Amino acid sequence: MKKQKKQFRMPTAFTVLILLTIVVAVITQFIPAITPATAADVIMAPIDGFASAMGVALFVLILGGFLGVVMKTGALNAGITAVAKKLNGKETWMIPVLMFLISLGGTTYGMAEETIAFYALVTSTMVAAGFDSLTAASTILLGSTAGVLGSTVNPFSISASVAALNAAGIETNQTIIIVVGGLSWILCYVVGVTFVLRYAHKVKGNKAASLLTAEEWAEVEKEYGGEKKPQADSVFTLRQKIVMVLFGLSFVVMIVGMVPWSSFGIPLFDHTGFLTRKNLGDWYFSELTAWFLLMGVVIGLVYGLKEREIVNSFLTGAGDLIGVALVIAVSRGVSVIMSNTGLDMYILEKASEALQGTSSLLFTACSYVVYLLLSVLIPSSSGLATVSMPIMGPLAQNLGLVPEIMVCVLSGACALVNGITPTSGTLMGAIAISRIEYTTWVKYIWKPLAAMLVLHILILSVGMAVL
């Protein structure tokens, strides 16, 4: 009897992140200029990361509860079936439309972590239409990446960067940022749509063409197929239609709540703080969490669920996303160690020294590489802008180059890195919801991200040389 070979399986996301935390801690031992991480720092990193990510982790749990109540009504399955019947073979039109809407959110207000709210819905819709979960996840993530990469008025990267440059004594022309960002957004959106559509056409109704492994397909079928799969003969009742209207309204309010209306001089929502104490436009994860908690209860009551049914379905839904919330929290532990030891600032200072005296083309490309690395170390775009722009902006200006382009470099690097690094809580949460292993995701996503990277560097290099 031949012994059956044991097939190698990628460790779970938790193991990968813990190992990465240990590697970073070891690196700090060999750099005299920074504080070396201790064993206690490594042990406490996941806990400190959870404290850092408490807002988004709680949001994910409450969102899971909200979805659990909606699923209990059966409205989502019936609604998906109704949409599939109307599309009747034109399901691929969902991809460019969804990607554009999500990218619009990305360029205007940095829609990234908030997209976690859409993965379960879009995955179930795509699987019901004959695609795989990779198609669904990449529709959302590449849409968000294209938008954030081409940020125009995104307050988390653009406003934070401009404020940091102003504090360093550098006046900025935001028209340059909007024009260059807008061009980058549209062109990278086209690149993303092209890749996703090509893959979608290949895998539609053909499991053999999918990059998902048999184990991953089994997980996808378990979560989004079988009993949970929309039935062709399901009836879309009036109550379920009302539930779906409330379901859609929940996400519309979420988006409206995150757009910084006051910074655009739009006073439309100045007196809307009666629900969360903050006006629409000033919301963040605490307010979003409260909103979805409220809407979960409202939907349950409107459909006629009993109190115990609402509570049990909410707890079941929240339980389904506990793993996602914990992955997001553990991923923050890596950046906590980097920040506490000073490794992030050390790398930034050494990179700025190395870029002295380079040409505009080389400076742009090398700056992009620097920011790609820094984005792994500092996942927050606003945090990265605050610590890096006072160094990189004056450096560009001293070389006779355009500091506004550095703002675009930061936006692009943050967007691309968050699409592939395991330190991104958004990414790890998204692929966990979509039941995709990290290695499978990397195998799929590196090509479109590489294409966006090359295209964006070319756009910014031309901008740096011409402006």
Side-chain angles (χ1 to χ4, degrees):
M1 295 285 292
K2 289 184 178 179
K3 287 185 178 180
Q4 189 175 6
K5 284 187 177 180
K6 289 185 178 179
Q7 188 178 8
F8 172 77
R9 292 196 67 183
M10 180 70 181
T12 65
F14 294 102
T15 303
V16 171
L17 290 169
I18 294 298
L19 289 175
L20 185 57
T21 303
I22 294 171
V23 168
V24 170
V26 170
I27 290 173
T28 65
Q29 309 302 315
F30 300 97
I31 304 176
I34 66 174
T35 304
T38 65
D41 291 327
V42 175
I43 293 171
M44 290 300 297
I47 311 305
D48 294 337
F50 192 88
S52 172
M54 182 66 75
V56 64
L58 182 58
F59 168 68
V60 167
L61 290 177
I62 297 301
L63 177 67
F66 166 82
L67 293 174
V69 174
V70 174
M71 292 300 293
K72 179 68 176 178
T73 68
L76 192 56
N77 283 353
I80 291 171
T81 301
V83 170
K85 286 179 181 178
K86 286 188 177 181
L87 288 172
N88 192 23
K90 299 179 182 178
E91 294 88 351
T92 50
W93 281 105
M94 290 189 294
I95 293 171
V97 173
L98 282 173
M99 288 187 72
F100 180 78
L101 293 174
I102 292 169
S103 71
L104 182 61
T107 188
T108 53
Y109 71 92
M111 187 178 188
E113 289 176 316
E114 301 83 2
T115 59
I116 288 179
F118 300 110
Y119 280 91
L121 172 62
V122 174
T123 300
S124 61
T125 304
M126 291 289 189
V127 171
F131 303 111
D132 64 0
S133 59
L134 270 172
T135 307
S138 58
T139 294
I140 299 172
L141 191 133
L142 284 177
S144 171
T145 298
V148 176
L149 177 149
S151 290
T152 50
V153 292
N154 173 5
F156 301 108
S157 59
I158 303 302
S159 299
S161 296
V162 169
L165 288 173
N166 290 343
I170 298 177
E171 294 296 323
T172 55
N173 183 344
Q174 288 197 258
T175 302
I176 293 175
I177 297 173
I178 291 172
V179 171
V180 174
L183 179 63
S184 303
W185 162 38
I186 296 300
L187 292 180
C188 287
Y189 161 76
V190 171
V191 169
V193 166
T194 301
F195 271 94
V196 178
L197 283 176
R198 284 175 57 189
Y199 180 77
H201 282 299
K202 186 168 65 173
V203 303
K204 182 170 171 56
N206 181 15
K207 287 186 179 181
S210 172
L211 292 178
L212 295 179
T213 64
E215 291 83 2
E216 288 167 312
W217 260 117
E219 287 294 319
V220 171
E221 286 291 333
K222 180 181 177 182
E223 182 62 26
Y224 300 106
E227 294 181 358
K228 297 184 181 181
K229 187 175 181 179
Q231 302 299 316
D233 58 349
S234 62
V235 178
F236 200 15
T237 66
L238 176 60
R239 280 196 178 187
Q240 288 176 331
K241 289 177 181 178
I242 295 173
V243 166
M244 288 309 296
V245 169
L246 293 173
F247 180 79
L249 177 66
S250 301
F251 289 97
V252 170
V253 172
M254 180 191 82
I255 293 170
V256 172
M258 294 296 291
V259 176
W261 303 104
S262 57
S263 66
F264 302 147
I266 301 175
L268 189 60
F269 301 102
D270 281 356
H271 303 288
T272 55
F274 57 91
L275 281 179
T276 65
R277 295 197 296 266
K278 287 188 178 180
N279 292 329
L280 291 171
D282 297 326
W283 282 17
Y284 203 48
F285 283 110
S286 294
E287 292 73 31
L288 292 178
T289 301
W291 170 247
F292 278 103
L293 174 61
L294 172 65
M295 290 308 294
V297 174
V298 168
I299 285 174
L301 292 174
V302 167
Y303 188 74
L305 295 177
K306 296 177 181 179
E307 177 267 343
R308 191 172 295 275
E309 289 178 311
I310 294 174
V311 172
N312 288 342
S313 57
F314 196 96
L315 292 176
T316 300
D320 288 342
L321 292 189
I322 284 179
V324 176
L326 290 177
V327 163
I328 292 171
V330 173
S331 69
R332 290 284 181 92
V334 181
S335 59
V336 167
I337 280 195
M338 293 174 178
S339 176
N340 290 345
T341 60
L343 179 60
D344 48 4
M345 291 301 298
Y346 174 82
I347 293 175
L348 175 60
E349 290 169 3
K350 292 300 179 183
S352 64
E353 292 173 7
L355 290 173
Q356 292 281 356
T358 57
S359 65
S360 61
L361 176 61
L362 185 60
F363 180 81
T364 304
C366 290
S367 296
Y368 215 114
V369 172
V370 169
Y371 268 111
L372 287 172
L373 178 59
L374 289 173
S375 296
V376 176
L377 307 181
I378 310 173
S380 166
S381 57
S382 55
L384 179 57
T386 302
V387 300
S388 69
M389 278 299 152
I391 298 173
M392 300 301 288
L395 177 58
Q397 191 174 59
N398 291 340
L399 294 173
L401 303 175
V402 186
E404 288 86 353
I405 298 297
M406 293 305 300
V407 178
C408 299
V409 170
L410 180 145
S411 296
C414 287
L416 291 169
V417 161
N418 283 328
I420 199 167
T421 176
T423 62
S424 168
T426 304
L427 169 62
M428 301 307 284
I431 61 176
I433 292 171
S434 303
R435 302 301 188 263
I436 303 167
E437 294 285 348
Y438 180 68
T439 48
T440 303
W441 176 255
V442 172
K443 183 179 179 181
Y444 169 83
I445 206 66
W446 78 266
K447 289 182 181 179
L449 289 185
M452 287 184 178
L453 171 63
V454 172
L455 176 60
H456 200 213
I457 288 178
L458 289 175
I459 294 170
L460 298 185
S461 296
V462 170
M464 192 72 88
V466 172
L467 296 173

